[in-house]
Amino acid sequence: MAEQTLICTACQCPLETRRVDFEYLTHTFFADALRCPRCGQVYLPEELVQGRVAEVEMELEDK
Amino acid sequence: MTRRSVLEDWIIRETGCRSREALDRWQLAQLREALDRAKARSPFYREHLASVRPEEITSLGALDRLPFTTADQLRADPRRWLCCGAAEVERIVTLKTSGTTAAPKRVFFRREDQERTVDFFAHGMGELVSPGDRVLILMPGQQPGSVGDLLKRALERVGVSAVPGGPVTNIAASYDLLRTSGCGCVVGIPVQVLGLAEYGARLPSGQRARLNSVLLSADAAHPALIHRIRTRMGCEVFNHFGMTEMGFGVAVECSVHQGCHLRENHILAEVVDPKTGARLPEGQPGELVFTTLDRRAMPFLRYRTGDLGVLLPGPCPCGSFLRRILPQGGRLADRGRLWALDGVLLACPGVVDYSVRETPEGPALTLYGVVPPDPEEARQRLEQAGYAAPKHIDAQVITGFSGTGMQKRSLPERSV
């Protein structure tokens, strides 16, 4: 999977690694992820979601 | 002056039940529906309740047929507990357990679930405040859907303004805020409110805040602690028992202060023998087990809380037929040791909190106060209570409480 280039189906162009901003519970954080240079659609791989995103979410989900 | 628990009228309106028997039947009917929904929509409950036939749960005795749910099961895979799609979840609350590498507990709420919590808060706070009053909330409230945020929304709904003070990271600053904000009521975490009480009692009387009432929440409050707050602050103190899994609010004292009246339109409470799981009759202490009757995201059915308590028998002296729990005895996990120590150490003059740490020479006790408490007083009281007092007892000044304050106090594994 890491070797393949991912393309955006709408724009038919390769995704590029970019900084992506996330917002959750009024806080923002960022991570690098594959993003379409044309339409901005982001591809979130499993490892990112289960890893960094989940970590930050749980930190913010305080009582 | 006593008046009937403010929850009763609300629960009568919501359920149509005016008697204990009617409410028991109503709860069982709600439970059967909750079981049907859980089995139909939740992968976890579909398996967990596979051999349960909801139509057979027609008496409180029949609850024995329902398997318990536990914190470990919750930690293992909270998303399988969900009875709705992930997109319908409005808020997740993550509870980390300090001192372990265990997965955290994550509790999921839909907007309707949060609304029921807000409704309970709005009515329950009627024990302490009326429209036009002002409440200082010393709990986390920054994030949407936090307990402080829901409480603020609830108070505003009933014409009461709320000042979100946040946890007491600095006692002097929080006390200043209390005095200058015009709040007659404080909602806070027990030892943090005790810190404020001790601080205020040492000020010249002209500089003290005038308080009508306090609500204690988020952690266990030993009667010894409640007594100190009441006498030092000179106001009425209401204990509240809550739990994130139950949507933060579970039960609140009435003006009689003998046990906390349960939110029975939303929660069914039991007490069981911690070893055998057998249901215990009213009046017998054991482990508190709760069942949510109406949660749309994540129901908790016969959830073993790990907290010790008792269901008080009979109607309350306030005149209400609503059941009461007395949270008492602390946590099963530490065999109630912290609770027992609280009873001795939080009765000592000037002690706001304490900690125990293991040293090569055995446990060492540190007492905290706004001025250093007297170690000898603590030593004598421990010995009178039948403890072997630790060799090392020292005293420290505390100026505030760290973290969000939402971690419950605990003792290290091997100690007093």
Side-chain angles (χ1 to χ4, degrees), chain A residues 24-27 50 54 57-63, chain B residues 91-94 96 104 106 143 146-147 244 404 406:
Chain A
Y24 187 51
L25 290 174
T26 75
H27 289 253
Q50 307 274 36
E57 276 177 354
M58 290 198 275
E59 276 302 316
L60 294 175
E61 285 161 2
D62 200 21
K63 238 180 113 150
Chain B
R91 179 55 144 97
I92 305 172
V93 177
T94 292
K96 288 163 273 211
R106 301 186 82 195
Q143 242 95 279
S146 62
V147 61
T244 300
T404 61
M406 295 324 277

CSV table of all heavy atoms in Angstrom, one decimal, chain A residues 24-27 50 54 57-63, chain B residues 91-94 96 104 106 143 146-147 244 404 406:
chain,number,residue,atom,x,y,z
A,24,TYR,N,-11.4,19.6,16.9
A,24,TYR,CA,-12.2,18.7,17.8
A,24,TYR,C,-12.5,19.4,19.1
A,24,TYR,O,-11.5,19.9,19.7
A,24,TYR,CB,-11.5,17.4,18.0
A,24,TYR,CG,-12.3,16.3,18.7
A,24,TYR,CD1,-13.6,16.0,18.2
A,24,TYR,CD2,-11.8,15.6,19.7
A,24,TYR,CE1,-14.4,15.0,18.9
A,24,TYR,CE2,-12.5,14.6,20.4
A,24,TYR,CZ,-13.8,14.3,19.9
A,24,TYR,OH,-14.5,13.3,20.6
A,25,LEU,N,-13.7,19.5,19.5
A,25,LEU,CA,-14.0,20.1,20.8
A,25,LEU,C,-13.3,21.4,21.0
A,25,LEU,O,-12.7,21.6,22.0
A,25,LEU,CB,-13.7,19.1,21.9
A,25,LEU,CG,-14.5,17.8,22.0
A,25,LEU,CD1,-14.0,16.9,23.1
A,25,LEU,CD2,-16.0,18.2,22.4
A,26,THR,N,-13.4,22.3,20.0
A,26,THR,CA,-12.9,23.6,20.0
A,26,THR,C,-11.4,23.7,20.0
A,26,THR,O,-10.8,24.8,20.0
A,26,THR,CB,-13.4,24.5,21.2
A,26,THR,OG1,-12.7,24.1,22.4
A,26,THR,CG2,-14.9,24.4,21.4
A,27,HIS,N,-10.7,22.6,19.9
A,27,HIS,CA,-9.2,22.6,19.8
A,27,HIS,C,-8.8,22.2,18.4
A,27,HIS,O,-9.5,21.4,17.8
A,27,HIS,CB,-8.6,21.6,20.8
A,27,HIS,CG,-8.7,22.1,22.2
A,27,HIS,ND1,-7.7,22.5,23.0
A,27,HIS,CD2,-9.8,22.1,23.1
A,27,HIS,CE1,-8.1,22.9,24.2
A,27,HIS,NE2,-9.3,22.6,24.3
A,50,GLN,N,-6.0,5.6,14.1
A,50,GLN,CA,-5.9,4.8,15.3
A,50,GLN,C,-4.8,5.3,16.2
A,50,GLN,O,-4.8,5.0,17.4
A,50,GLN,CB,-5.6,3.3,15.0
A,50,GLN,CG,-6.6,2.7,14.0
A,50,GLN,CD,-7.8,2.1,14.7
A,50,GLN,OE1,-8.3,2.7,15.7
A,50,GLN,NE2,-8.3,1.0,14.2
A,54,ALA,N,-6.5,9.4,17.5
A,54,ALA,CA,-7.1,8.8,18.6
A,54,ALA,C,-6.5,9.3,19.9
A,54,ALA,O,-7.2,9.6,20.9
A,54,ALA,CB,-7.0,7.3,18.6
A,57,GLU,N,-7.7,12.9,20.5
A,57,GLU,CA,-9.1,12.8,20.8
A,57,GLU,C,-9.3,12.5,22.3
A,57,GLU,O,-10.0,13.2,23.0
A,57,GLU,CB,-9.8,11.8,20.0
A,57,GLU,CG,-10.3,12.2,18.7
A,57,GLU,CD,-10.9,11.0,17.9
A,57,GLU,OE1,-10.9,9.9,18.4
A,57,GLU,OE2,-11.4,11.3,16.8
A,58,MET,N,-8.6,11.5,22.8
A,58,MET,CA,-8.8,11.0,24.1
A,58,MET,C,-8.3,12.0,25.1
A,58,MET,O,-8.8,12.2,26.2
A,58,MET,CB,-8.2,9.6,24.3
A,58,MET,CG,-9.0,8.6,23.6
A,58,MET,SD,-8.7,6.9,24.1
A,58,MET,CE,-7.3,6.5,23.2
A,59,GLU,N,-7.2,12.7,24.8
A,59,GLU,CA,-6.7,13.8,25.6
A,59,GLU,C,-7.7,14.9,25.8
A,59,GLU,O,-7.9,15.4,26.9
A,59,GLU,CB,-5.5,14.5,25.0
A,59,GLU,CG,-4.2,13.8,25.3
A,59,GLU,CD,-3.9,13.6,26.7
A,59,GLU,OE1,-4.1,14.5,27.5
A,59,GLU,OE2,-3.5,12.5,27.1
A,60,LEU,N,-8.4,15.2,24.7
A,60,LEU,CA,-9.4,16.3,24.8
A,60,LEU,C,-10.7,15.9,25.4
A,60,LEU,O,-11.5,16.7,25.8
A,60,LEU,CB,-9.7,16.8,23.3
A,60,LEU,CG,-8.5,17.5,22.7
A,60,LEU,CD1,-8.8,17.8,21.2
A,60,LEU,CD2,-8.0,18.7,23.4
A,61,GLU,N,-11.0,14.6,25.4
A,61,GLU,CA,-12.3,14.1,25.8
A,61,GLU,C,-12.4,14.1,27.4
A,61,GLU,O,-12.9,13.1,27.9
A,61,GLU,CB,-12.7,12.8,25.2
A,61,GLU,CG,-13.0,12.9,23.8
A,61,GLU,CD,-12.9,11.6,23.1
A,61,GLU,OE1,-12.6,10.5,23.7
A,61,GLU,OE2,-13.1,11.5,21.8
A,62,ASP,N,-12.0,15.1,28.0
A,62,ASP,CA,-12.0,15.1,29.4
A,62,ASP,C,-13.5,15.3,29.9
A,62,ASP,O,-14.3,15.8,29.1
A,62,ASP,CB,-11.2,16.3,30.0
A,62,ASP,CG,-10.7,16.1,31.4
A,62,ASP,OD1,-10.8,14.9,31.9
A,62,ASP,OD2,-10.4,17.0,32.0
A,63,LYS,N,-13.8,14.9,31.1
A,63,LYS,CA,-15.1,15.1,31.7
A,63,LYS,C,-15.5,16.6,31.7
A,63,LYS,O,-16.6,16.9,31.8
A,63,LYS,CB,-15.0,14.7,33.2
A,63,LYS,CG,-15.9,13.7,33.6
A,63,LYS,CD,-15.7,13.4,35.1
A,63,LYS,CE,-16.9,13.8,35.9
A,63,LYS,NZ,-17.1,13.0,37.1
B,91,ARG,N,-21.0,13.4,21.8
B,91,ARG,CA,-19.8,13.7,22.7
B,91,ARG,C,-19.3,12.4,23.2
B,91,ARG,O,-20.1,11.5,23.6
B,91,ARG,CB,-20.3,14.6,23.9
B,91,ARG,CG,-19.2,15.0,24.9
B,91,ARG,CD,-18.0,15.6,24.4
B,91,ARG,NE,-17.5,16.6,25.3
B,91,ARG,CZ,-16.5,16.4,26.2
B,91,ARG,NH1,-16.0,15.2,26.4
B,91,ARG,NH2,-16.1,17.4,27.0
B,92,ILE,N,-18.0,12.3,23.3
B,92,ILE,CA,-17.3,11.1,23.9
B,92,ILE,C,-16.6,11.6,25.2
B,92,ILE,O,-15.9,12.7,25.1
B,92,ILE,CB,-16.3,10.4,23.0
B,92,ILE,CG1,-17.0,10.0,21.7
B,92,ILE,CG2,-15.7,9.2,23.7
B,92,ILE,CD1,-16.0,9.5,20.6
B,93,VAL,N,-16.7,10.9,26.3
B,93,VAL,CA,-15.9,11.3,27.4
B,93,VAL,C,-14.9,10.1,27.7
B,93,VAL,O,-15.3,9.0,27.8
B,93,VAL,CB,-16.8,11.5,28.7
B,93,VAL,CG1,-15.9,11.8,29.9
B,93,VAL,CG2,-17.7,12.7,28.5
B,94,THR,N,-13.6,10.5,27.8
B,94,THR,CA,-12.6,9.4,28.0
B,94,THR,C,-12.1,9.6,29.4
B,94,THR,O,-11.7,10.6,29.9
B,94,THR,CB,-11.4,9.7,27.0
B,94,THR,OG1,-11.9,9.4,25.7
B,94,THR,CG2,-10.3,8.7,27.3
B,96,LYS,N,-9.4,8.3,31.9
B,96,LYS,CA,-8.1,7.5,32.1
B,96,LYS,C,-8.1,7.1,33.5
B,96,LYS,O,-8.5,7.8,34.4
B,96,LYS,CB,-6.9,8.4,31.7
B,96,LYS,CG,-6.8,8.6,30.2
B,96,LYS,CD,-6.0,9.8,29.9
B,96,LYS,CE,-6.8,11.1,30.0
B,96,LYS,NZ,-6.2,12.1,29.0
B,104,PRO,N,-8.3,3.2,28.5
B,104,PRO,CA,-9.2,4.1,29.2
B,104,PRO,C,-10.7,3.6,29.0
B,104,PRO,O,-10.9,2.9,28.0
B,104,PRO,CB,-9.0,5.5,28.5
B,104,PRO,CG,-8.5,5.2,27.2
B,104,PRO,CD,-7.7,3.9,27.3
B,106,ARG,N,-14.2,4.7,27.6
B,106,ARG,CA,-14.8,5.8,26.8
B,106,ARG,C,-16.3,5.6,26.8
B,106,ARG,O,-16.8,4.6,26.6
B,106,ARG,CB,-14.2,5.7,25.4
B,106,ARG,CG,-12.7,5.8,25.3
B,106,ARG,CD,-12.2,5.8,23.9
B,106,ARG,NE,-12.3,7.2,23.3
B,106,ARG,CZ,-12.3,7.4,22.0
B,106,ARG,NH1,-12.1,6.4,21.1
B,106,ARG,NH2,-12.4,8.7,21.6
B,143,GLN,N,-14.7,22.7,27.7
B,143,GLN,CA,-15.1,22.0,26.5
B,143,GLN,C,-16.6,21.9,26.5
B,143,GLN,O,-17.3,21.7,27.5
B,143,GLN,CB,-14.6,20.6,26.6
B,143,GLN,CG,-13.6,20.2,25.6
B,143,GLN,CD,-12.2,20.4,26.0
B,143,GLN,OE1,-11.7,21.5,26.0
B,143,GLN,NE2,-11.6,19.3,26.4
B,146,SER,N,-18.8,19.1,28.5
B,146,SER,CA,-18.1,18.8,29.8
B,146,SER,C,-19.2,18.9,30.9
B,146,SER,O,-20.2,19.5,30.7
B,146,SER,CB,-17.0,19.7,30.1
B,146,SER,OG,-17.4,21.0,30.2
B,147,VAL,N,-18.8,18.3,32.1
B,147,VAL,CA,-19.8,18.4,33.1
B,147,VAL,C,-20.2,19.8,33.6
B,147,VAL,O,-21.3,20.1,33.8
B,147,VAL,CB,-19.3,17.5,34.3
B,147,VAL,CG1,-18.1,18.0,34.9
B,147,VAL,CG2,-20.4,17.4,35.4
B,244,THR,N,-19.6,9.3,35.4
B,244,THR,CA,-19.6,9.6,34.0
B,244,THR,C,-20.4,8.6,33.2
B,244,THR,O,-21.2,8.9,32.3
B,244,THR,CB,-18.2,9.6,33.4
B,244,THR,OG1,-17.4,10.6,34.1
B,244,THR,CG2,-18.2,9.9,31.9
B,404,THR,N,-6.8,18.6,36.2
B,404,THR,CA,-8.2,19.1,36.1
B,404,THR,C,-9.0,18.9,37.3
B,404,THR,O,-10.1,19.3,37.5
B,404,THR,CB,-8.9,18.4,34.9
B,404,THR,OG1,-9.0,17.0,35.3
B,404,THR,CG2,-8.2,18.5,33.6
B,406,MET,N,-10.2,16.1,38.0
B,406,MET,CA,-11.3,15.1,37.8
B,406,MET,C,-10.7,13.6,38.1
B,406,MET,O,-11.5,12.7,38.0
B,406,MET,CB,-11.8,15.2,36.4
B,406,MET,CG,-12.6,16.4,36.1
B,406,MET,SD,-13.5,17.1,37.5
B,406,MET,CE,-15.0,16.1,37.4
